[in-house]
Amino acid sequence: MEVRVRGDRMALDLAEDFSRFKVVMCDRTATSFASHQLSLEPSLTLADKDTAWVSLSWLRTTGPADTHWQTGLDQMVAKAAPHGWISADGSAVKAHLEWAEVAPQVSDSFRLAMRRLAATPCLITTMSAGRRHGMAATSVTSLSFDPPSILVCVNAQASIHDPLRAEGRFCANLMGGNHDALLGAFSGELKGEARFSLGDWQVQANLPYLPDAQANIFCSVAEKWRYGTHSIFVGQVESVRTDGELDPMVYLDGRKGRFAAV
Ligand SMILES: Cc1cc2nc3c(=O)[nH]c(=O)nc-3n(C[C@H](O)[C@H](O)[C@H](O)COP(=O)(O)O)c2cc1C
């Protein structure tokens, strides 16, 4: 039996084979282990990078409903118990964890490919419990016009991640060629509120926005999913401001530049 984990979803594979039991993380590597805990509990709890606890109630409701299979599961549990493979409260069974190994050459060449993808960075901002949070992101993409919506992908380790999930609203401030100093500040050089010491930040509808940005897109989170190390947020557009000359910052190969038509 195998539990296969892809994104936030768990599926049961080879259910009839009770002779083995493991959890396969199809799209995650062990190096990002810590960030996977929250999204999978309580069906799957990671003990360490080699072991997981799989909830027995999840197995019972996910596996085939026929009594033959349920009896097979009971027998597997009975065999596992003397080895300490059943949790103290009897609610979970221990499984070996297998992680997708990304070939080093793929991850290196993927990085190189992404350095060739030009993008206008945005400063993603939110306000939670009266505190401002912000982060530079190039993962902002137009999703659809009907309804007006955008996507942004945020690393679960980033300081804005949890406030954004909790608050469910954000502003995407599209950076201009004049925002040189802000990019470094919002990608780690400064922390927390100190990031907002650069730029003339204002607040509209309880969201911090940069009035001289190329555009400010105010959104409420309509959907969110976890995938690997990141959360994908769908922002439904509430309102938009655009300002001044068309002069977006263009980020390419780790460098900031400006757009030139050919
Ligand atoms: C040009 C650029 C684009 C970035 N795009 C993203 C992004 O789309 N998603 C993301 O999670 N981090 C992105 N980052 C990284 C975050 O800005 C950075 O990790 C930031 O420090 C957030 O973490 P912190 O608030 O915990 O310091 C980007 C950084 C740069 C310089």
Side-chain angles (χ1 to χ4, degrees), residues 135-139 153-155 158-159 186-188 191 195 230 251:
M135 181 192 87
T138 43
S139 60
C153 307
V154 179
N155 193 306
S159 57
F186 278 78
S187 57
K191 293 286 172 200
R195 291 181 179 168
H230 281 57
Y251 191 79

Side-chain angles (χ1 to χ4, degrees), residues 234-257:
V234 172
Q236 187 154 337
V237 179
E238 290 175 350
S239 64
V240 178
R241 293 176 81 256
T242 54
D243 186 70
E245 292 286 305
L246 187 67
D247 177 26
M249 180 187 288
V250 179
Y251 191 79
L252 180 67
D253 193 23
R255 288 175 295 164
K256 289 161 278 192

Side-chain angles (χ1 to χ4, degrees), residues 38 48 50 57 79 84 87-88 96-97 113 115 117 120 128-129 138 169 173 194 203 209 218 220 223 229 239 248:
L38 289 174
D48 54 47
D50 298 315
S57 66
K79 275 191 196 156
S87 62
H96 176 68
L97 262 181
R115 291 183 81 89
L117 183 63
T120 293
S128 184
T138 43
R169 291 182 69 241
N173 301 272
V203 174
Y209 75 98
F218 298 86
S220 57
E223 293 274 3
T229 51
S239 64

Side-chain angles (χ1 to χ4, degrees), residues 87-98:
S87 62
D89 65 358
S91 69
V93 57
K94 204 182 225 179
H96 176 68
L97 262 181
E98 227 175 68

Side-chain angles (χ1 to χ4, degrees), residues 21-183:
F21 185 53
K22 65 178 175 182
V23 173
V24 184
M25 306 294 256
C26 300
D27 51 12
R28 303 160 194 246
T29 55
T31 44
S32 52
F33 163 70
S35 62
H36 302 312
Q37 299 273 21
L38 289 174
S39 60
L40 301 166
E41 282 175 10
S43 304
L44 184 76
T45 309
L46 306 189
D48 54 47
K49 75 173 183 41
D50 298 315
T51 326
W53 291 100
V54 180
S55 134
L56 277 165
S57 66
W58 179 85
L59 280 173
R60 283 198 197 287
T61 47
T62 310
D66 63 274
T67 49
H68 172 70
W69 189 85
Q70 298 287 339
T71 310
L73 184 64
D74 290 339
Q75 286 166 353
M76 187 182 97
V77 170
K79 275 191 196 156
H83 298 280
W85 298 338
I86 300 297
S87 62
D89 65 358
S91 69
V93 57
K94 204 182 225 179
H96 176 68
L97 262 181
E98 227 175 68
W99 298 85
E101 283 312 325
V102 180
Q105 65 272 24
V106 171
S107 105
D108 290 349
S109 50
F110 174 60
R111 261 175 222 281
L112 286 176
M114 287 301 102
R115 291 183 81 89
R116 293 171 174 232
L117 183 63
T120 293
C122 292
L123 299 178
I124 302 299
T125 55
T126 195
M127 179 98 81
S128 184
R131 295 177 68 88
R132 294 179 290 182
H133 304 268
M135 181 192 87
T138 43
S139 60
V140 177
T141 312
S142 169
L143 173 60
S144 73
F145 285 109
D146 186 16
S149 49
I150 59 174
L151 279 184
V152 59
C153 307
V154 179
N155 193 306
Q157 307 290 331
S159 57
I160 197 173
H161 182 269
D162 292 352
L164 176 51
R165 271 189 93 93
E167 214 51 41
R169 291 182 69 241
F170 67 92
C171 180
N173 301 272
L174 278 60
M175 300 186 77
N178 56 327
H179 291 135
D180 213 12
L182 274 78
L183 187 67

Side-chain angles (χ1 to χ4, degrees), residues 210-230:
L210 191 61
D212 69 345
Q214 291 285 295
N216 314 99
I217 308 176
F218 298 86
C219 297
S220 57
V221 173
E223 293 274 3
K224 52 182 186 276
W225 305 278
R226 277 296 298 269
Y227 185 82
T229 51
H230 281 57

